[in-house]
């Protein structure tokens, strides 16, 4: 089915891992999702919206006050600055007393603006609290994953670390691979998600590091793959989606985070540098400066020999 230029221009871009998809038939924005949209945008964008709305409302009431024909006491006739200042004082319910309404028209405007100001303060306060109290995770994922033997079986390994000085309780991790398109016997073309079985998919507490491992055995969708398959251009759409959930012990709320590995992020016949060592004082130390470092498998073999 061919797609018209008009529909292409209205397409919504959605990113899945490192691949951009253009969605047609679903609007980019819906007013019922306005709160969700405000929670999703950046802090800079939010502040721009709040300040713009504040200036716009006060400017609108300023022009309305200027049409009141002397409805503001002690304000210079036709003064935009005085009318704008009166609008700011009214919306914030400051009430300095130097300027005040003198006729029914201005009193009505003041009542309307005070009501809008109260609603605005309540909404902005609630939005700020919701954004500040939103539980987040600071989990570090290794920049690469490796494939090396583990108990004689080729194993996909990457590691994660809790960057906060607390516990993530009942942490659970899931790894799903998005395979390339396949054609069914009926001629349907589709992409498949396959869950990877992990050596350990949960831990009672995540405090330091965790090496996540998937053994590439007969039950693995990666079974039979070679290093050349990982470097094949036709397979570069394949991605590994990692999701982590757990309970933050500090705020007692569920947190989650995610990460994506592409095929070119996976290094064969390498292993991770050990980040744990013992100092001269006999204490155990974790050196996270080597968290992403890997070395060839031959290095370990030479070490053992």
């Amino acid at each position: 089915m061919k797609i018209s230029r008009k529909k292409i221009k209205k397409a919504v871009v959605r990113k899945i891992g490192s691949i951009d998809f253009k969605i047609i038939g679903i609007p980019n924005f819906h007013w019922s999702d306005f709160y969700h949209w405000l929670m999703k945008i950046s802090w800079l964008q939010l502040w721009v919206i709040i300040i713009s709305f504040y200036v716009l409302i006060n400017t609108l009431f300023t022009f309305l006050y200027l049409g009141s024909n002397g409805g503001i006491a002690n304000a210079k006739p036709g003064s935009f600055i005085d009318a704008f200042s009166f609008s700011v004082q009214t919306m914030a319910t400051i009430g300095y007393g130097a300027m005040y309404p003198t006729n029914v028209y201005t009193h009505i405007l003041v009542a309307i603006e005070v009501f809008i100001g109260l609603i605005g303060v309540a909404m902005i306060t609630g939005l700020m609290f919701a954004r500040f109290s939103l539980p987040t995770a600071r989990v570090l994922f290794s920049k690469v994953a490796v494939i090396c033997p583990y108990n004689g079986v080729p194993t996909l390994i990457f590691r994660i670390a809790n960057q906060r000085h607390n516990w993530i309780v009942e942490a659970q991790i899931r790894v799903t691979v998005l395979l390339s398109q396949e054609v069914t016997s009926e001629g349907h073309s589709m992409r498949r998600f396959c869950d990877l079985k992990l050596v350990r998919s949960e831990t009672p507490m995540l405090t330091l590091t965790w090496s996540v491992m998937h053994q590439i055995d007969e039950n693995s969708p990666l079974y039979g793959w070679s290093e050349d398959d990982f470097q094949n251009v036709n397979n570069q759409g394949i991605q590994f989606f990692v999701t982590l959930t757990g309970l933050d012990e500090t705020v007692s709320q569920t947190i989650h985070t995610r990460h994506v590995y592409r095929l070119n992020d996976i290094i064969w016949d390498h292993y991770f540098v050990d980040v744990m060592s013992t100092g001269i004082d006999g204490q155990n130390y974790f050196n996270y400066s080597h968290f992403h470092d890997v070395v060839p498998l031959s290095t370990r073999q030479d070490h053992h020999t």
Side-chain angles (χ1 to χ4, degrees):
M1 180 183 296
K2 292 185 178 181
I3 302 175
S4 63
R5 291 181 177 270
K6 184 177 181 181
K7 289 185 177 180
I8 291 177
K9 290 182 179 180
K10 294 183 178 180
V12 179
V13 178
R14 290 187 182 175
K15 195 175 187 66
I16 300 180
S18 60
I19 303 177
D20 290 333
F21 291 90
K22 291 191 174 181
I23 310 300
I24 298 175
I26 298 179
N28 189 29
F29 176 79
H30 197 279
W31 282 107
S32 61
D33 292 330
F34 185 62
Y35 173 77
H36 181 272
W37 180 73
L38 290 175
M39 291 291 290
K40 184 178 66 174
I41 61 178
S42 66
W43 278 104
L44 177 61
Q45 291 174 315
L46 179 63
W47 279 113
V48 169
I49 291 173
I50 292 175
I51 294 173
S52 300
F53 178 78
Y54 179 79
V55 173
L56 179 63
I57 292 297
N58 279 291
T59 301
L60 174 62
F61 275 95
T62 296
F63 285 110
L64 294 175
Y65 287 133
L66 289 175
S68 62
N69 296 322
I72 304 175
N74 300 321
K76 297 178 182 179
S79 174
F80 180 88
I81 298 299
D82 285 356
F84 188 85
S85 177
F86 179 73
S87 175
V88 170
Q89 295 178 35
T90 301
M91 179 169 288
T93 64
I94 297 176
Y96 287 130
M99 293 187 290
Y100 52 89
T102 59
N103 55 34
V104 175
Y105 172 80
T106 310
H107 274 290
I108 294 175
L109 289 180
V110 167
I112 295 174
E113 186 172 13
V114 168
F115 178 76
I116 293 175
L118 292 175
I119 296 297
V121 169
M123 293 180 63
I124 293 174
T125 301
L127 182 62
M128 290 295 180
F129 175 79
R131 288 182 65 110
F132 271 110
S133 61
L134 191 67
T136 58
R138 291 189 65 241
V139 176
L140 180 65
F141 290 85
S142 58
K143 295 179 180 178
V144 297
V146 299
I147 294 181
C148 62
Y150 174 74
N151 289 335
V153 180
T155 304
L156 173 69
I157 304 175
F158 63 90
R159 56 187 179 188
I160 60 177
N162 183 13
Q163 297 188 79
R164 290 194 175 119
H165 300 292
N166 69 344
W167 286 11
I168 299 178
V169 183
E170 299 298 332
Q172 299 181 3
I173 196 163
R174 181 178 180 181
V175 182
T176 305
V177 59
L178 175 62
L179 299 176
S180 56
Q181 288 187 348
E182 66 173 20
V183 180
T184 66
S185 58
E186 294 79 14
H188 300 297
S189 178
M190 61 181 62
R191 298 173 68 93
R192 289 191 302 125
F193 280 99
C194 292
D195 292 329
L196 300 186
K197 183 179 179 181
L198 304 178
V199 174
R200 182 163 58 94
S201 60
E202 59 184 27
T203 180
M205 66 275 189
L206 175 58
T207 56
L208 298 172
T209 63
W210 182 4
S211 292
V212 182
M213 297 180 286
H214 164 69
Q215 291 187 309
I216 307 176
D217 54 18
E218 295 83 357
N219 299 318
S220 171
L222 305 178
Y223 183 70
W225 283 41
S226 65
E227 185 175 0
D228 293 335
D229 293 323
F230 275 68
Q231 296 176 353
N232 192 329
V233 177
N234 297 327
N235 293 334
Q236 291 310 305
I238 297 176
Q239 301 178 79
F240 296 83
F241 295 88
V242 182
T243 56
L244 173 73
T245 59
L247 185 68
D248 189 300
E249 67 158 354
T250 303
V251 296
S252 297
Q253 289 183 305
T254 301
I255 56 176
H256 63 88
T257 186
R258 58 184 172 84
H259 189 76
V260 178
Y261 289 103
R262 296 170 295 178
L263 289 185
N264 55 10
D265 295 325
I266 300 175
I267 304 176
W268 280 68
D269 296 330
H270 281 65
Y271 67 94
F272 283 104
V273 174
D274 196 352
V275 295
M276 181 177 176
S277 59
T278 304
I280 58 176
D281 55 358
Q283 295 294 320
N284 293 324
Y285 290 88
F286 279 82
N287 187 355
Y288 286 98
S289 60
H290 297 299
F291 185 79
H292 306 284
D293 296 345
V294 297
V295 293
L297 187 62
S298 58
T299 304
R300 172 169 290 185
Q301 292 173 346
D302 293 341
H303 175 74
H304 286 303
T305 55

